[in-house]
């Protein structure tokens, strides 16, 4: 099949497909499924992409990626930005650009592609149960401008309470708490074990020792008990969304 023909079937330009074919550009997360449909390859491209996408991330993050992919339950707390698994593409792009304004467009797009590829797990079957506590600062700190934030809030509202996801907002009025120093992810793995991952601006730490993980779980549970309910959190997000109008 020529690139010209594939262009019309895969909804990408000939130049984009050519760069992907020559390994000069990252693979868009939706392309493997499209290729399986076009060529009738019964998931081969999708399966290969699951392996290849690990190359997007530096070595130090691959164990984190492997553990996250094994999780049957994911709980996260974020104090500053929308968690990566909940970000829309323009928000992620704006965040990466803000973090490293000297990065070229290609480097930014590789990071965005890597982030978007992680979200496949929330759409899979079976998919993990997912919960997140968002500090009010996540909603008040804008990335990408009003239109991007509006779309990001709409995406959060779609996930605020579903059969497999729920979100809670922690208002500023709550004050200090044990997790104020950085973001936290808690994963219940497929073997029933618990793992925690703490992340700061440029570093991340896996916590696997049982007592330390239990301490993180307790701190998260206390915070969850203090945060708004999913319904009240959705109302809070809507109120911030209305302020953007």
């Amino acid at each position: 099949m020529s690139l010209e023909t594939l262009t019309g079937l895969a909804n990408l330009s000939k130049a984009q497909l050519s760069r992907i074919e020559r390994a000069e550009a990252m693979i868009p997360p939706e392309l493997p499924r499209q290729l399986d449909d076009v060529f009738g390859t019964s998931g081969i491209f999708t399966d290969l992409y699951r392996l290849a996408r690990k190359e997007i991330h530096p070595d130090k993050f691959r164990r984190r990626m492997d553990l996250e992919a094994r999780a049957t339950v994911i709980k996260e707390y974020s104090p500053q930005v929308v968690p990566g698994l909940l970000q829309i593409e323009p928000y992620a792009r704006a965040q990466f650009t803000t973090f490293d304004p000297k990065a070229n467009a290609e480097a930014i797009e590789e990071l965005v592609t890597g982030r978007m590829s992680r979200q496949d797990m929330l759409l899979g079957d079976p998919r993990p149960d997912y919960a997140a506590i968002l500090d009010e600062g996540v909603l008040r700190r804008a990335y990408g401008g009003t239109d991007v934030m509006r779309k990001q809030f709409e995406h959060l509202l779609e996930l605020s309470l579903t059969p497999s996801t729920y979100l809670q907002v922690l208002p500023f009025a709550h004050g200090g708490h044990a997790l104020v120093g950085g973001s936290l992810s808690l994963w219940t793995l497929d073997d029933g074990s618990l793992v925690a991952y703490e992340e700061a601006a440029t570093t991340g730490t896996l916590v696997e020792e049982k007592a330390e993980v239990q301490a993180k779980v307790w701190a998260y549970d206390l915070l969850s008990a203090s945060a708004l309910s999913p319904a009240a959190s959705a109302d809070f997000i809507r109120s911030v969304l209305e302020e953007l109008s």
Side-chain angles (χ1 to χ4, degrees):
M1 184 181 292
S2 67
L3 284 179
E4 289 83 357
T5 302
L6 186 57
T7 292
L9 297 173
N11 198 30
L12 289 172
S13 71
K14 180 181 176 181
Q16 287 175 299
L17 287 171
S18 179
R19 294 187 68 229
I20 291 168
E21 188 176 43
R22 297 196 305 270
E24 295 175 355
M26 300 303 299
I27 301 168
E30 68 277 6
L31 182 59
R33 293 192 189 93
Q34 292 174 333
L35 294 178
D36 280 326
D37 291 340
V38 169
F39 295 117
T41 41
S42 303
I44 288 176
F45 283 99
T46 302
D47 290 342
L48 288 173
Y49 179 64
R50 290 193 182 103
L51 297 176
R53 70 182 183 180
K54 294 181 181 179
E55 299 303 316
I56 296 170
H57 303 276
D59 286 339
K60 65 179 181 179
F61 291 118
R62 287 187 189 150
R63 176 158 169 74
R64 180 204 191 283
M65 296 291 296
D66 289 340
L67 290 171
E68 185 179 65
R70 289 176 52 197
T72 59
V73 179
I74 298 173
K75 296 181 178 181
E76 297 192 299
Y77 163 70
S78 182
Q80 302 288 349
V81 298
V82 174
L85 292 176
L86 303 178
Q87 291 182 5
I88 62 171
E89 190 171 311
Y91 181 99
R93 185 174 293 108
Q95 185 196 345
F96 285 129
T97 302
T98 300
F99 181 76
D100 187 1
K102 295 182 179 180
N104 61 45
E106 185 173 349
I108 294 295
E109 289 310 306
E110 288 192 7
L111 291 170
V112 171
T113 297
R115 177 149 295 176
M116 294 299 103
S117 74
R118 287 176 54 211
Q119 298 181 3
D120 288 347
M121 70 177 68
L122 293 184
L123 304 174
D125 186 19
R127 64 190 61 179
D129 292 327
Y130 179 88
I133 302 171
L134 309 179
D135 192 276
E136 184 177 342
V138 172
L139 308 178
R140 301 294 184 185
R141 185 167 289 103
Y143 286 91
T146 300
D147 288 342
V148 170
M149 291 305 296
R150 183 178 291 111
K151 292 175 182 177
Q152 179 65 73
F153 288 156
E154 290 170 352
H155 183 58
L156 293 177
L157 288 171
E158 290 173 358
L159 299 173
S160 61
L161 186 58
T162 76
S164 59
T165 66
Y166 70 87
L167 308 180
Q168 294 180 272
V169 172
L170 185 74
F172 287 145
H174 174 72
H177 55 83
L179 298 180
V180 75
S183 64
L184 174 70
S185 298
L186 298 170
W187 305 316
T188 302
L189 303 184
D190 48 8
D191 60 3
S193 60
L194 288 170
V195 178
Y197 184 80
E198 295 180 300
E199 190 168 17
T202 59
T203 60
T205 303
L206 275 172
V207 181
E208 299 181 75
E209 201 281 321
K210 187 174 181 179
E212 292 184 42
V213 174
Q214 288 296 339
K216 304 299 181 186
V217 170
W218 180 249
Y220 180 94
D221 289 345
L222 285 176
L223 206 58
S224 178
S226 302
L228 300 178
S229 69
S233 295
D235 289 340
F236 194 102
I237 294 171
R238 287 190 193 95
S239 71
V240 179
L241 176 57
E242 290 171 359
E243 293 175 12
L244 296 177
S245 303

